[in-house]
Amino acid sequence: MASSISSSEQIGVDTHPQTLPSGLRLTAADRPGVAQPVPERDIPDQPWRVMSLIVLVLVVLFTGLWEWKMRTLDLVPGDESDGTYDSWARLRHQVDKRDVPVLIIGDSRILYDTDLDRVAQLTGVRPIQLAIVGSSGLPILEDIANDSHFKGLAIVGMAETAFFDTKHTVARPKEALELSHWESPSKRASYQIQRVISPGLAMLDEDYQLSTLIFHLDPDWRHGVRGPYHDVWKVGESGADGQAWIWRRLEHDQRLAGHARAVWHQLFPPFPIDDKSIQEILVRTKTAVDKIRARGGDVVFVRPPSGPDMRAIEDKHIPRARAWDSLLAYTHTNGIHADDLPAAQNLILPEGSHLTHACATVFTDAYIRSVAQLTPMLHLKPDAPTALSTHDCVQSPVASIH
């Protein structure tokens, strides 16, 4: 007797499916007795090699056109100003591997306004650039202070609205420091691939990916909600060696410079910071400075220039007397303020916050010469080039700041 759970007959299976005319497919009705048959369709005879070649040519053509378009927008291959900190982490590792005589710490102003090549020409030392866009330099200063390897000079750039902010400018330094302490294998591999590809392609700039550009088209469609159009767009460009500048297009594109200026005005509210927060920053800064000095190092603060409109907002938030002057007095530290440097006057700040490439070189020349006078840890070379002045700053179509 046949089992109720098994067949007593051999179900025939067609192992030689019939061939159907081209374009038709075999269905379950064509193959009785086959459990859950997968539909089969004949592959039509087509010129696959020619089609593949056409697809390849189109991909190369449109990729080349997009790359050409990106370069016409002043994007450059190898630009690493993408908001990631892989290169930064590798620069930070150098502090643990060798004797680093000079570090630069701070926000985007000291980052974009410092010409590392000019520093090397003046002193024979190329600093390690550890400034981070949109951040306070204090968390990095504290990290360096806790690193027994560092016994050199730390130049700390300070925009008061960033340095004395304990809420909005600490996330990026924290992320960068975490990456410098540990990096996953996948992220390390991604960085190595990027290093190979990026020097040949400007189109990899994250600020100008198609999805980002479309996102920026949002004209505040939701009432009362600040849309991505009013976010920070591309501002700088940088390389793997830490050198960074304001994005060259901002030096001549008044629309983009005006957009950046408007964003800065919205990001810095004109209300004063409270005394308790100021005192907290002063105490933390002094602790870090004292640790570095205890190992034989030194710290000098530098305040880069900002335009009159930006300066008015900054002074409402925290004026010089409450921030800069108090910091130097409390920490017993030397500092160089752009207001006190004759060569740093009337320089060009296209969007009110960062210097043009040429003017950054002039400012670097001025503040490095002053730093060499304030600390014995930095010396000018006997054959150092002559001092620069405002006249050496190449003029830009964007109106200069007076």
Side-chain angles (χ1 to χ4, degrees):
M1 180 181 292
S3 170
S4 61
I5 60 173
S6 64
S7 175
S8 61
E9 300 180 3
Q10 178 71 26
I11 298 177
V13 178
D14 185 7
T15 58
H16 303 284
Q18 66 186 85
T19 302
L20 295 180
S22 177
L24 298 181
R25 70 175 182 175
L26 292 172
T27 64
D30 300 309
R31 291 169 289 172
V34 178
Q36 297 181 347
V38 178
E40 298 178 0
R41 185 189 296 272
D42 289 343
I43 300 177
D45 187 16
Q46 297 289 349
W48 297 112
R49 291 184 179 179
V50 175
M51 294 170 64
S52 299
L53 180 60
I54 292 174
V55 171
L56 177 61
V57 170
L58 289 177
V59 169
V60 173
L61 175 63
F62 285 109
T63 300
L65 288 174
W66 188 252
E67 174 69 13
W68 169 80
K69 179 60 178 178
M70 293 300 100
R71 297 199 184 199
T72 64
L73 297 178
D74 284 338
L75 299 180
V76 294
D79 186 356
E80 297 192 6
S81 57
D82 55 2
T84 60
Y85 306 106
D86 302 270
S87 293
W88 186 95
R90 281 153 181 77
L91 292 173
R92 173 63 183 85
H93 292 161
Q94 292 191 30
V95 179
D96 302 323
K97 295 178 179 179
R98 63 183 179 88
D99 182 19
V100 175
V102 182
L103 282 178
I104 298 179
I105 302 168
D107 50 73
S108 61
R109 287 185 184 167
I110 198 69
L111 175 64
Y112 296 153
D113 296 352
T114 297
D115 183 343
L116 300 180
D117 289 337
R118 187 64 180 182
V119 179
Q121 292 171 5
L122 291 171
T123 65
V125 175
R126 186 180 179 85
I128 299 297
Q129 176 63 274
L130 292 181
I132 299 176
V133 173
S135 71
S136 165
L138 182 54
I140 307 302
L141 178 64
E142 291 176 320
D143 178 70
I144 293 298
N146 292 326
D147 191 333
S148 60
H149 296 94
F150 181 70
K151 301 176 183 179
L153 171 66
I155 299 176
V156 183
M158 189 178 74
E160 295 90 342
T161 51
F163 194 85
F164 284 87
D165 182 4
T166 58
K167 298 180 179 179
H168 304 99
T169 61
V170 296
R172 293 182 179 183
K174 180 180 178 181
E175 182 179 349
L177 288 171
E178 288 177 350
L179 182 62
S180 70
H181 296 152
W182 185 83
E183 184 179 29
S184 66
S186 61
K187 194 167 184 61
R188 188 179 304 112
S190 176
Y191 173 72
Q192 295 299 333
I193 295 173
Q194 182 77 4
R195 286 188 63 187
V196 174
I197 300 175
S198 179
L201 295 173
M203 60 184 288
L204 297 179
D205 193 307
E206 289 194 357
D207 289 306
Y208 271 76
Q209 291 181 353
L210 184 59
S211 58
T212 304
L213 296 177
I214 294 175
F215 197 58
H216 285 164
L217 294 176
D218 180 2
D220 299 343
W221 285 323
R222 295 178 60 191
H223 179 70
V225 178
R226 182 169 173 263
Y229 180 84
H230 298 292
D231 288 340
V232 179
W233 293 357
K234 184 174 179 61
V235 177
E237 57 184 77
S238 62
D241 63 348
Q243 179 61 68
W245 310 102
I246 187 176
W247 184 27
R248 62 192 68 190
R249 187 174 174 185
L250 290 179
E251 298 189 16
H252 59 80
D253 191 318
Q254 297 189 29
R255 184 185 72 86
L256 289 179
H259 176 273
R261 185 187 298 269
V263 171
W264 302 148
H265 289 185
Q266 295 174 5
L267 288 180
F268 300 114
F271 54 80
I273 189 171
D274 60 276
D275 292 335
K276 181 180 179 181
S277 297
I278 293 177
Q279 185 62 30
E280 176 187 344
I281 297 299
L282 294 179
V283 171
R284 289 173 56 189
T285 304
K286 187 177 189 304
T287 300
V289 170
D290 289 346
K291 288 181 179 180
I292 293 175
R293 286 176 172 166
R295 296 195 298 267
D298 199 4
V299 178
V300 175
F301 289 91
V302 176
R303 206 293 189 182
S306 54
D309 51 345
M310 284 295 301
R311 187 65 179 274
I313 296 175
E314 292 168 335
D315 286 345
K316 289 180 180 179
H317 186 66
I318 181 168
R320 174 173 175 170
R322 297 181 64 212
W324 176 261
D325 296 341
S326 296
L327 182 73
L328 298 187
Y330 190 87
T331 60
H332 304 289
T333 307
N334 290 315
I336 301 164
H337 199 291
D339 290 351
D340 306 325
L341 283 176
Q345 309 307 308
N346 302 320
L347 299 180
I348 303 171
L349 299 111
E351 29 68 86
S353 189
H354 306 95
L355 295 167
T356 63
H357 184 154
C359 289
T361 301
V362 173
F363 176 67
T364 301
D365 183 271
Y367 89 72
I368 287 297
R369 292 178 186 276
S370 296
V371 169
Q373 297 176 358
L374 296 176
T375 175
M377 302 199 69
L378 191 66
H379 304 278
L380 295 182
K381 294 167 54 180
D383 59 345
T386 57
L388 301 177
S389 68
T390 306
H391 299 292
D392 296 293
C393 184
V394 178
Q395 295 299 306
S396 167
V398 179
S400 61
I401 301 299
H402 295 287

